[in-house]
Short mmCIF file of all heavy atoms in Angstrom, two decimals:
data_model
loop_
_atom_site.label_atom_id
_atom_site.label_comp_id
_atom_site.label_asym_id
_atom_site.label_seq_id
_atom_site.Cartn_x
_atom_site.Cartn_y
_atom_site.Cartn_z
N GLU A 640 0.36 5.85 13.00
CA GLU A 640 -0.22 5.47 11.74
C GLU A 640 -0.36 3.96 11.56
O GLU A 640 -0.77 3.46 10.51
CB GLU A 640 0.69 6.01 10.56
CG GLU A 640 0.74 7.54 10.52
CD GLU A 640 1.65 8.04 9.39
OE1 GLU A 640 1.94 7.28 8.48
OE2 GLU A 640 2.06 9.20 9.50
N ALA A 641 -0.03 3.23 12.63
CA ALA A 641 -0.06 1.74 12.52
C ALA A 641 -1.46 1.18 12.23
O ALA A 641 -1.62 0.36 11.37
CB ALA A 641 0.48 1.12 13.80
N PRO A 642 -2.54 1.69 12.90
CA PRO A 642 -3.88 1.12 12.61
C PRO A 642 -4.24 1.36 11.12
O PRO A 642 -4.82 0.47 10.52
CB PRO A 642 -4.77 1.94 13.55
CG PRO A 642 -3.89 2.29 14.71
CD PRO A 642 -2.58 2.61 14.09
N ALA A 643 -3.96 2.55 10.58
CA ALA A 643 -4.29 2.83 9.19
C ALA A 643 -3.49 1.87 8.27
O ALA A 643 -4.00 1.40 7.24
CB ALA A 643 -4.05 4.29 8.87
N LEU A 644 -2.26 1.68 8.59
CA LEU A 644 -1.41 0.82 7.76
C LEU A 644 -1.95 -0.63 7.74
O LEU A 644 -2.07 -1.27 6.73
CB LEU A 644 0.04 0.79 8.27
CG LEU A 644 0.98 -0.15 7.52
CD1 LEU A 644 1.10 0.15 6.07
CD2 LEU A 644 2.33 -0.20 8.23
N ILE A 645 -2.36 -1.07 8.96
CA ILE A 645 -2.90 -2.49 9.01
C ILE A 645 -4.16 -2.62 8.12
O ILE A 645 -4.29 -3.58 7.39
CB ILE A 645 -3.22 -2.83 10.50
CG1 ILE A 645 -1.95 -3.06 11.25
CG2 ILE A 645 -4.10 -4.08 10.58
CD1 ILE A 645 -2.11 -3.17 12.77
N ARG A 646 -5.03 -1.65 8.24
CA ARG A 646 -6.23 -1.70 7.43
C ARG A 646 -5.95 -1.65 5.93
O ARG A 646 -6.59 -2.33 5.11
CB ARG A 646 -7.22 -0.61 7.81
CG ARG A 646 -7.72 -0.71 9.28
CD ARG A 646 -8.66 0.43 9.62
NE ARG A 646 -8.93 0.36 11.08
CZ ARG A 646 -8.52 1.31 11.97
NH1 ARG A 646 -7.80 2.35 11.56
NH2 ARG A 646 -8.83 1.16 13.27
N ASN A 647 -4.92 -0.82 5.58
CA ASN A 647 -4.57 -0.72 4.16
C ASN A 647 -3.92 -2.01 3.66
O ASN A 647 -4.12 -2.40 2.48
CB ASN A 647 -3.59 0.43 4.01
CG ASN A 647 -4.29 1.79 3.86
OD1 ASN A 647 -5.49 1.84 3.51
ND2 ASN A 647 -3.59 2.85 4.22
N VAL A 648 -3.16 -2.67 4.49
CA VAL A 648 -2.53 -3.91 4.09
C VAL A 648 -3.63 -5.00 3.89
O VAL A 648 -3.57 -5.77 2.89
CB VAL A 648 -1.50 -4.38 5.16
CG1 VAL A 648 -1.11 -5.87 4.93
CG2 VAL A 648 -0.29 -3.51 5.18
N LEU A 649 -4.59 -5.06 4.79
CA LEU A 649 -5.69 -6.03 4.58
C LEU A 649 -6.48 -5.73 3.33
O LEU A 649 -6.83 -6.63 2.56
CB LEU A 649 -6.64 -5.94 5.81
CG LEU A 649 -6.04 -6.32 7.17
CD1 LEU A 649 -7.12 -6.17 8.23
CD2 LEU A 649 -5.49 -7.71 7.15
N LEU A 650 -6.69 -4.43 3.07
CA LEU A 650 -7.43 -4.03 1.83
C LEU A 650 -6.59 -4.40 0.60
O LEU A 650 -7.14 -4.93 -0.38
CB LEU A 650 -7.70 -2.51 1.87
CG LEU A 650 -8.40 -1.92 0.68
CD1 LEU A 650 -9.81 -2.52 0.52
CD2 LEU A 650 -8.51 -0.41 0.79
N ALA A 651 -5.29 -4.13 0.66
CA ALA A 651 -4.44 -4.46 -0.51
C ALA A 651 -4.43 -5.93 -0.80
O ALA A 651 -4.54 -6.40 -1.97
CB ALA A 651 -2.99 -4.00 -0.22
N SER A 652 -4.36 -6.79 0.26
CA SER A 652 -4.28 -8.19 0.06
C SER A 652 -5.52 -8.76 -0.62
O SER A 652 -5.50 -9.80 -1.28
CB SER A 652 -4.08 -8.93 1.39
OG SER A 652 -3.84 -10.31 1.17
N ALA A 653 -6.65 -8.05 -0.44
CA ALA A 653 -7.93 -8.50 -1.06
C ALA A 653 -8.27 -7.77 -2.33
O ALA A 653 -9.37 -7.90 -2.85
CB ALA A 653 -9.02 -8.32 -0.02
N SER A 654 -7.31 -6.98 -2.84
CA SER A 654 -7.61 -6.11 -4.01
C SER A 654 -7.15 -6.76 -5.32
O SER A 654 -5.96 -6.62 -5.73
CB SER A 654 -6.98 -4.73 -3.81
OG SER A 654 -7.55 -4.04 -2.72
N ILE A 655 -8.09 -7.43 -6.03
CA ILE A 655 -7.75 -8.11 -7.23
C ILE A 655 -7.32 -7.01 -8.27
O ILE A 655 -8.04 -6.11 -8.55
CB ILE A 655 -8.96 -8.83 -7.79
CG1 ILE A 655 -9.39 -9.89 -6.79
CG2 ILE A 655 -8.64 -9.48 -9.12
CD1 ILE A 655 -10.72 -10.49 -7.10
N PRO A 656 -6.12 -7.13 -8.83
CA PRO A 656 -5.59 -6.06 -9.72
C PRO A 656 -6.42 -5.88 -10.95
O PRO A 656 -6.89 -6.81 -11.57
CB PRO A 656 -4.19 -6.53 -10.08
CG PRO A 656 -4.15 -8.02 -9.76
CD PRO A 656 -5.13 -8.20 -8.61
N GLY A 657 -6.71 -4.61 -11.20
CA GLY A 657 -7.56 -4.28 -12.38
C GLY A 657 -9.00 -4.16 -11.98
O GLY A 657 -9.67 -3.28 -12.50
N VAL A 658 -9.49 -5.03 -11.12
CA VAL A 658 -10.87 -4.97 -10.65
C VAL A 658 -10.98 -3.98 -9.52
O VAL A 658 -11.77 -3.03 -9.60
CB VAL A 658 -11.36 -6.35 -10.26
CG1 VAL A 658 -12.85 -6.29 -9.79
CG2 VAL A 658 -11.23 -7.37 -11.40
N PHE A 659 -10.25 -4.21 -8.44
CA PHE A 659 -10.22 -3.32 -7.32
C PHE A 659 -9.03 -2.38 -7.49
O PHE A 659 -7.99 -2.81 -8.01
CB PHE A 659 -10.08 -4.06 -6.00
CG PHE A 659 -11.24 -4.88 -5.56
CD1 PHE A 659 -11.73 -5.96 -6.31
CD2 PHE A 659 -11.93 -4.53 -4.41
CE1 PHE A 659 -12.84 -6.66 -5.94
CE2 PHE A 659 -13.03 -5.27 -4.00
CZ PHE A 659 -13.51 -6.30 -4.75
N PRO A 660 -9.12 -1.14 -7.03
CA PRO A 660 -7.92 -0.28 -7.14
C PRO A 660 -6.81 -0.79 -6.19
O PRO A 660 -7.02 -1.37 -5.15
CB PRO A 660 -8.43 1.06 -6.56
CG PRO A 660 -9.63 0.76 -5.77
CD PRO A 660 -10.27 -0.47 -6.37
N PRO A 661 -5.56 -0.62 -6.64
CA PRO A 661 -4.43 -0.96 -5.81
C PRO A 661 -4.35 -0.09 -4.60
O PRO A 661 -5.00 1.03 -4.54
CB PRO A 661 -3.20 -0.82 -6.71
CG PRO A 661 -3.64 0.19 -7.74
CD PRO A 661 -5.13 -0.04 -7.92
N VAL A 662 -3.58 -0.51 -3.62
CA VAL A 662 -3.35 0.35 -2.40
C VAL A 662 -1.93 0.90 -2.50
O VAL A 662 -0.99 0.08 -2.72
CB VAL A 662 -3.54 -0.46 -1.11
CG1 VAL A 662 -3.10 0.33 0.11
CG2 VAL A 662 -5.02 -0.90 -0.99
N TYR A 663 -1.82 2.20 -2.39
CA TYR A 663 -0.50 2.82 -2.49
C TYR A 663 0.03 3.03 -1.11
O TYR A 663 -0.56 3.80 -0.31
CB TYR A 663 -0.62 4.12 -3.25
CG TYR A 663 -1.10 3.97 -4.61
CD1 TYR A 663 -2.45 4.14 -4.99
CD2 TYR A 663 -0.26 3.55 -5.66
CE1 TYR A 663 -2.90 3.93 -6.27
CE2 TYR A 663 -0.71 3.36 -7.00
CZ TYR A 663 -2.06 3.57 -7.23
OH TYR A 663 -2.53 3.33 -8.51
N VAL A 664 1.10 2.35 -0.78
CA VAL A 664 1.69 2.40 0.55
C VAL A 664 2.85 3.42 0.58
O VAL A 664 3.80 3.29 -0.24
CB VAL A 664 2.20 1.01 0.99
CG1 VAL A 664 2.90 1.11 2.37
CG2 VAL A 664 1.05 0.05 1.03
N ARG A 665 2.83 4.32 1.48
CA ARG A 665 3.89 5.35 1.57
C ARG A 665 5.10 4.73 2.27
O ARG A 665 4.99 4.14 3.35
CB ARG A 665 3.43 6.54 2.35
CG ARG A 665 4.40 7.74 2.37
CD ARG A 665 3.81 8.91 3.04
NE ARG A 665 3.55 8.64 4.44
CZ ARG A 665 2.98 9.52 5.29
NH1 ARG A 665 2.57 10.71 4.80
NH2 ARG A 665 2.79 9.22 6.53
N VAL A 666 6.26 4.85 1.63
CA VAL A 666 7.49 4.29 2.17
C VAL A 666 8.62 5.34 2.18
O VAL A 666 8.51 6.38 1.52
CB VAL A 666 7.96 3.04 1.35
CG1 VAL A 666 6.89 1.97 1.41
CG2 VAL A 666 8.24 3.47 -0.14
N GLN A 667 9.64 5.07 2.95
CA GLN A 667 10.79 5.93 3.00
C GLN A 667 12.03 5.19 2.44
O GLN A 667 12.15 3.95 2.66
CB GLN A 667 11.07 6.38 4.45
CG GLN A 667 9.91 7.14 5.12
CD GLN A 667 8.78 6.22 5.58
OE1 GLN A 667 9.04 5.20 6.16
NE2 GLN A 667 7.54 6.66 5.37
N THR A 668 12.94 5.91 1.85
CA THR A 668 14.16 5.35 1.35
C THR A 668 15.37 5.83 2.12
O THR A 668 15.26 6.83 2.86
CB THR A 668 14.35 5.63 -0.17
OG1 THR A 668 14.23 7.06 -0.37
CG2 THR A 668 13.24 4.92 -0.98
N PRO A 669 16.50 5.14 2.01
CA PRO A 669 17.66 5.53 2.77
C PRO A 669 18.14 6.96 2.62
O PRO A 669 18.79 7.53 3.53
CB PRO A 669 18.77 4.53 2.26
CG PRO A 669 18.02 3.36 1.84
CD PRO A 669 16.76 3.88 1.24
N ASP A 670 17.80 7.58 1.44
CA ASP A 670 18.21 8.96 1.29
C ASP A 670 17.28 9.95 1.91
O ASP A 670 17.44 11.20 1.72
CB ASP A 670 18.40 9.25 -0.24
CG ASP A 670 17.06 9.22 -0.97
OD1 ASP A 670 16.09 8.74 -0.42
OD2 ASP A 670 16.99 9.70 -2.13
N GLY A 671 16.21 9.45 2.64
CA GLY A 671 15.31 10.30 3.33
C GLY A 671 14.08 10.73 2.47
O GLY A 671 13.24 11.47 2.98
N SER A 672 13.98 10.24 1.28
CA SER A 672 12.85 10.61 0.44
C SER A 672 11.67 9.67 0.71
O SER A 672 11.76 8.63 1.25
CB SER A 672 13.25 10.50 -1.05
OG SER A 672 14.33 11.30 -1.33
N THR A 673 10.47 10.21 0.32
CA THR A 673 9.23 9.44 0.47
C THR A 673 8.64 9.11 -0.88
O THR A 673 8.54 9.98 -1.76
CB THR A 673 8.19 10.23 1.33
OG1 THR A 673 8.71 10.51 2.60
CG2 THR A 673 6.89 9.53 1.45
N TYR A 674 8.25 7.87 -1.06
CA TYR A 674 7.73 7.41 -2.31
C TYR A 674 6.46 6.56 -2.03
O TYR A 674 6.05 6.39 -0.85
CB TYR A 674 8.74 6.55 -3.03
CG TYR A 674 9.99 7.32 -3.48
CD1 TYR A 674 11.13 7.26 -2.69
CD2 TYR A 674 10.00 8.05 -4.68
CE1 TYR A 674 12.28 7.95 -3.06
CE2 TYR A 674 11.17 8.76 -5.03
CZ TYR A 674 12.31 8.71 -4.21
OH TYR A 674 13.43 9.36 -4.62
N ASP A 675 5.85 6.00 -3.11
CA ASP A 675 4.76 5.06 -2.85
C ASP A 675 5.05 3.70 -3.56
O ASP A 675 5.73 3.66 -4.59
CB ASP A 675 3.43 5.65 -3.42
CG ASP A 675 3.38 5.79 -4.90
OD1 ASP A 675 3.32 4.83 -5.62
OD2 ASP A 675 3.33 6.98 -5.36
N GLU A 676 4.51 2.66 -2.98
CA GLU A 676 4.59 1.31 -3.53
C GLU A 676 3.15 0.91 -3.91
O GLU A 676 2.19 1.23 -3.16
CB GLU A 676 5.17 0.29 -2.57
CG GLU A 676 6.61 0.45 -2.20
CD GLU A 676 7.04 -0.55 -1.16
OE1 GLU A 676 6.17 -1.09 -0.46
OE2 GLU A 676 8.28 -0.68 -0.94
N MET A 677 2.99 0.17 -5.00
CA MET A 677 1.69 -0.26 -5.41
C MET A 677 1.47 -1.70 -4.96
O MET A 677 2.19 -2.60 -5.34
CB MET A 677 1.54 -0.18 -6.97
CG MET A 677 0.19 -0.75 -7.45
SD MET A 677 0.07 -0.78 -9.25
CE MET A 677 -0.04 0.98 -9.68
N HIS A 678 0.52 -1.91 -4.06
CA HIS A 678 0.24 -3.26 -3.48
C HIS A 678 -1.14 -3.73 -3.91
O HIS A 678 -2.09 -2.96 -3.85
CB HIS A 678 0.40 -3.23 -1.97
CG HIS A 678 1.83 -3.21 -1.54
ND1 HIS A 678 2.52 -4.34 -1.11
CD2 HIS A 678 2.67 -2.17 -1.41
CE1 HIS A 678 3.78 -3.97 -0.76
NE2 HIS A 678 3.88 -2.66 -0.94
N VAL A 679 -1.17 -5.00 -4.29
CA VAL A 679 -2.44 -5.62 -4.77
C VAL A 679 -2.61 -6.96 -4.09
O VAL A 679 -1.78 -7.35 -3.23
CB VAL A 679 -2.51 -5.75 -6.29
CG1 VAL A 679 -2.44 -4.37 -6.96
CG2 VAL A 679 -1.40 -6.65 -6.81
N ASP A 680 -3.63 -7.67 -4.54
CA ASP A 680 -4.02 -8.97 -4.00
C ASP A 680 -2.82 -9.93 -3.80
O ASP A 680 -2.05 -10.20 -4.72
CB ASP A 680 -5.02 -9.64 -5.01
CG ASP A 680 -5.74 -10.81 -4.40
OD1 ASP A 680 -5.25 -11.44 -3.45
OD2 ASP A 680 -6.83 -11.12 -4.98
N GLY A 681 -2.69 -10.43 -2.54
CA GLY A 681 -1.63 -11.43 -2.29
C GLY A 681 -1.82 -12.69 -3.13
O GLY A 681 -0.82 -13.41 -3.38
N GLY A 682 -3.05 -12.95 -3.54
CA GLY A 682 -3.33 -14.10 -4.37
C GLY A 682 -2.65 -14.04 -5.74
O GLY A 682 -2.61 -15.10 -6.44
#
């Protein structure tokens, strides 16, 4: 899933909040559960 993650990170960094949709990154927590993080423009 590394190539898809890289493209999503690039998309998120260029996604102005409110104008462009945020990118939801799937993450894992220590208890084994899966959640999402909302990532937007690095600017």
